[in-house]
Amino acid sequence: MATREILTLQFGHYTNYIGAHFWNTQELSFDYTGLKKTEVNHDILYREGENGKGETTYTPRLLLADLKGSLKTLPVSGGLPEESDPDHLEWENVDKVEEPAPQKNQYLVDIDSEGPAAAEKTYNFEEEVKTWTDFIYPRLHSRSVNVIKEYNHGDENEGFDIYNSGTALWKHDFGDTFSDNIRKYVEECDSMQGFQVNFDCIDGFSGMAMGCIEYLADEYTKPIVAYPIIPSYFPDNNPSTQEERDKSNLKDSTRLVNLALSLQALSEHATLFVPLCTSEKGWRKPGNPRSFEYINYNPQLYYHSSALLATAIDTLSQKYRHKSNIHTMSDICADMTGYGRKMAAASLGMPFALNESQYLIDFLNNTTKPIYTSLTPSCKIASDKLFQLITVRGIPESYLKAPLKEAKEQMNLPAYRCNSVKEMFELYFQASNFLSATNVTVCEQPFELKTPYPQFFSKDLNKYGFVASDSSQERIESCAVVAGYHNGNFMADTIEKVHREVSRIQFAKLHKFRQEGLEAADYKESLDKLAEFKDNYEDDFEL
């Protein structure tokens, strides 16, 4: 069977937090015993190689970008001895001058010495994590890490905060090197599915990512699934003086313009794009954090909020990584982007908290709340007239319904005729969503919550993530999750909110954008095209 490889690209500091959780999830789910049933084809995201010592390596098929000073303990080489490269010349008798390496936290020390055994220990990540490299478990390929040397991480005076700064960098040496690394990865693939591009869409990485996405669209006839991402919190969110308020408002406007330019460019060059944020509004301050029952997370900690988004991406991508599922990236994009509606919403229900003594049929029959929470900013997912792709993982078939002898009132429900979790969810969505089309994928395995995933779960859950009958003293090890892609007329409102808000910003006040080469005519054209894109969602809906 063909591998159906995917190349993942990550642009930006917050996105790399998400990436660290995402790749930790993959690596810590590997089974080296052969005793565990594996539902995911890991070769889709990973590649096998050989390092300079002749040892076999298995590393993410990944390219990431971040600013100088953001890597801390992670070497630019990715942490593994470099692979033999026919384009690489060996130099002898060369003296290396290196800065002293930053000190590793205890978790990184332990995984260097103990490997997976470190997952059994307890660490204070909330206090110790200062950057995404403080909790990343995998070692990366030598070409994976790409540092932008022109800007320093955390520099308030010369921040990498303008869309056009990113596009300018892409057009020079950085883009040449990055695209050459893309080519090397693509040439290794036998039957590539496409590209997954995750990027911070509120700073200079937005322009850099869009330069890359435009390059991918021109050079390769493969689907591009993009996740423009907004962090859950910014340090300037809580100003206390008028001067701080003025600076915060200016930064808000800058982030909003970067977002609007990104969405417009994505509407032209991406195959499917899904904005993500764990806060309700997303711009002009991220707003209130999205609420997840039985999870108590701190939205100011990137380590926390990024874990939720990583869980959503991991669950959503099960659809085209599952061994038994015939879906590909092309299928997902075709299903979700009819009528030119390239922008979709995402949702996450975590944990899917059945009571440990409750059957799924009773939970779905009695619940009056949505079983998922929107992760797309300023977006309320409609219940009618929509297309959606739903992935459910971790609900055992034994939780489906009571045996015939014990069924009692359950037998009066139409859902009692369902003989699988998949059938029952299909019936649930058929009854809950009027004039809608829903495709459901079910994975047997739950989402595993191994260290260093945050332990922000309620004590009311047992170790399997279900609601315990009495107060549980067990550490949660896994949980059931539901996630979805959703598209329909309701997306017009999200685009309208972006367009209305950004249209209030006078171009004359965008001094840094003008300095970086953005012309008034180009800015107006982008906003006009964004308004036109919204029209794709306002036609009459027909299934």
Side-chain angles (χ1 to χ4, degrees):
M1 183 178 175
T3 300
R4 302 178 294 146
E5 301 94 341
I6 291 171
L7 174 58
T8 302
L9 310 175
Q10 296 171 191
F11 295 90
H13 195 65
Y14 184 67
T15 288
N16 285 327
Y17 266 84
I18 297 170
H21 280 300
F22 179 84
W23 296 110
N24 288 350
T25 297
Q26 312 314 311
E27 197 105 353
L28 291 168
S29 68
F30 290 170
D31 174 42
Y32 300 99
T33 67
L35 301 176
K36 182 179 174 182
K37 181 180 178 181
T38 304
E39 293 180 289
V40 168
N41 180 358
H42 291 295
D43 291 339
I44 289 175
L45 293 179
Y46 276 70
R47 63 179 293 282
E48 186 174 305
E50 186 177 282
N51 65 24
K53 297 181 179 180
E55 301 166 332
T56 299
T57 60
Y58 196 58
T59 53
R61 192 176 292 105
L62 166 69
L63 290 171
L64 66 85
D66 212 330
L67 302 182
K68 183 180 178 181
S70 64
L71 299 185
K72 203 176 176 184
T73 56
L74 180 71
V76 177
S77 64
L80 285 176
E82 292 196 18
E83 291 191 12
S84 53
D85 187 340
D87 297 331
H88 178 70
L89 297 176
E90 294 290 340
W91 296 88
E92 297 182 357
N93 301 321
V94 175
D95 292 330
K96 290 186 177 181
V97 179
E98 297 181 352
E99 295 181 2
Q103 186 174 355
K104 292 185 176 182
N105 60 35
Q106 191 58 48
Y107 172 70
L108 297 178
V109 171
D110 287 349
I111 61 174
D112 284 344
S113 59
E114 302 178 34
E120 306 302 321
K121 295 187 175 183
T122 300
Y123 304 90
N124 187 11
F125 290 109
E126 281 75 12
E127 295 291 333
E128 294 179 353
V129 168
K130 307 300 180 186
T131 183
W132 57 273
T133 61
D134 285 336
F135 65 96
I136 190 168
Y137 178 81
R139 299 297 181 263
L140 305 177
H141 187 273
S142 57
R143 74 171 75 110
S144 286
V145 181
N146 299 265
V147 176
I148 299 169
K149 299 176 181 178
E150 290 84 351
Y151 295 87
N152 290 311
H153 175 66
D155 189 338
E156 288 293 321
N157 297 319
E158 292 293 333
F160 187 51
D161 57 353
I162 302 297
Y163 180 95
N164 298 78
S165 302
T167 56
L169 276 180
W170 177 263
K171 291 176 182 177
H172 293 92
D173 292 346
F174 184 90
D176 291 340
T177 302
F178 203 90
S179 55
D180 190 49
N181 285 332
I182 291 173
R183 175 188 58 79
K184 290 177 181 178
Y185 271 129
V186 172
E187 287 176 351
E188 295 172 352
C189 299
D190 295 323
S191 53
M192 190 175 187
Q193 276 196 74
F195 302 92
Q196 180 171 286
V197 186
N198 310 331
F199 68 97
D200 292 0
C201 66
I202 41 72
D203 55 23
F205 286 106
S206 59
M208 176 170 285
M210 288 316 309
C212 180
I213 288 173
E214 186 171 353
Y215 161 79
L216 296 176
D218 290 341
E219 292 293 321
Y220 303 99
T221 56
K222 300 293 182 181
I224 303 167
V225 176
Y227 294 100
I229 295 165
I230 302 173
S232 54
Y233 173 80
F234 298 101
D236 60 273
N237 280 170
N238 301 308
S240 57
T241 66
Q242 187 58 48
E243 182 182 1
E244 289 178 352
R245 277 189 286 273
D246 292 341
K247 288 183 178 179
S248 180
N249 289 335
L250 179 59
K251 289 183 178 181
D252 270 342
S253 295
T254 299
R255 291 189 285 257
L256 179 57
V257 172
N258 291 329
L259 168 66
L261 294 175
S262 299
L263 297 184
Q264 187 280 312
L266 286 165
S267 71
E268 292 189 20
H269 303 295
T271 315
L272 167 68
F273 63 100
V274 186
L276 297 179
C277 184
T278 59
S279 294
E280 291 179 357
K281 287 180 61 180
W283 53 86
R284 291 298 186 200
K285 307 293 185 292
N288 294 326
R290 298 285 191 185
S291 177
F292 296 87
E293 195 172 9
Y294 300 106
I295 290 180
N296 180 27
Y297 73 102
N298 182 351
Q300 295 189 21
L301 291 181
Y302 284 3
Y303 165 69
H304 275 191
S305 61
S306 62
L308 295 170
L309 296 184
T311 303
I313 293 174
D314 178 71
T315 302
L316 291 167
S317 64
Q318 295 283 319
K319 231 168 178 64
Y320 45 83
R321 296 193 290 129
H322 208 266
K323 286 181 178 178
S324 61
N325 204 330
I326 60 172
H327 274 82
T328 64
M329 266 190 164
S330 293
D331 297 326
I332 303 297
C333 294
D335 288 345
M336 293 304 301
T337 58
Y339 311 105
R341 298 173 174 183
K342 291 185 177 183
M343 178 170 152
S347 67
L348 176 68
M350 177 188 183
F352 191 88
L354 289 167
N355 190 290
E356 63 182 4
S357 59
Q358 185 180 29
Y359 288 105
L360 178 63
I361 187 172
D362 294 323
F363 178 91
L364 294 178
N365 185 58
N366 296 328
T367 186
T368 57
K369 300 181 293 186
I371 62 174
Y372 49 67
T373 297
S374 174
L375 287 180
T376 296
S378 292
C379 177
K380 182 178 180 181
I381 298 170
S383 58
D384 300 329
K385 299 182 179 180
L386 70 160
F387 292 95
Q388 52 190 3
L389 303 178
I390 304 293
T391 301
V392 180
R393 62 198 301 185
I395 300 179
E397 294 289 340
S398 59
Y399 275 63
L400 184 64
K401 59 184 179 181
L404 196 59
K405 292 181 181 179
E406 305 169 15
K408 299 180 182 178
E409 290 83 1
Q410 285 186 8
M411 295 182 64
N412 298 323
L413 300 174
Y416 195 78
R417 293 193 292 271
C418 297
N419 294 314
S420 68
V421 171
K422 178 180 172 67
E423 287 181 14
M424 194 165 288
F425 271 100
E426 287 174 340
L427 182 61
Y428 167 79
F429 285 111
Q430 182 181 339
S432 303
N433 303 131
F434 176 69
L435 279 180
S436 299
T438 304
N439 176 280
V440 177
T441 295
V442 171
C443 307
E444 292 181 19
Q445 299 299 318
F447 185 80
E448 295 186 347
L449 302 167
K450 294 183 178 180
T451 303
Y453 197 91
Q455 287 295 308
F456 45 30
F457 296 91
S458 167
K459 295 296 184 183
D460 293 333
L461 302 177
N462 65 19
K463 68 177 182 178
Y464 304 111
F466 297 119
V467 181
S469 299
D470 49 24
S471 183
S472 176
Q473 300 302 315
E474 298 177 298
R475 172 175 167 151
I476 185 170
E477 297 177 358
S478 64
C479 69
V481 174
V482 59
Y485 292 117
H486 314 264
N487 211 343
N489 293 359
F490 67 94
M491 292 300 298
D493 186 50
T494 303
I495 302 169
E496 169 61 27
K497 288 175 181 175
V498 176
H499 184 266
R500 182 172 63 244
E501 196 69 39
V502 77
S503 297
R504 294 173 178 170
I505 302 173
Q506 297 178 13
F507 180 76
K509 294 183 177 181
L510 301 177
H511 304 298
K512 290 189 71 173
F513 285 90
R514 291 157 59 196
Q515 291 170 7
E516 293 293 334
L518 180 62
E519 300 289 342
D522 293 335
Y523 179 66
K524 182 179 183 303
E525 182 182 7
S526 291
L527 297 191
D528 290 344
K529 286 183 177 180
L530 187 62
E532 292 173 8
F533 176 61
K534 184 198 69 170
D535 294 341
N536 293 336
Y537 295 84
E538 297 188 333
D539 297 330
D540 290 336
F541 185 96
E542 294 181 6
L543 281 176

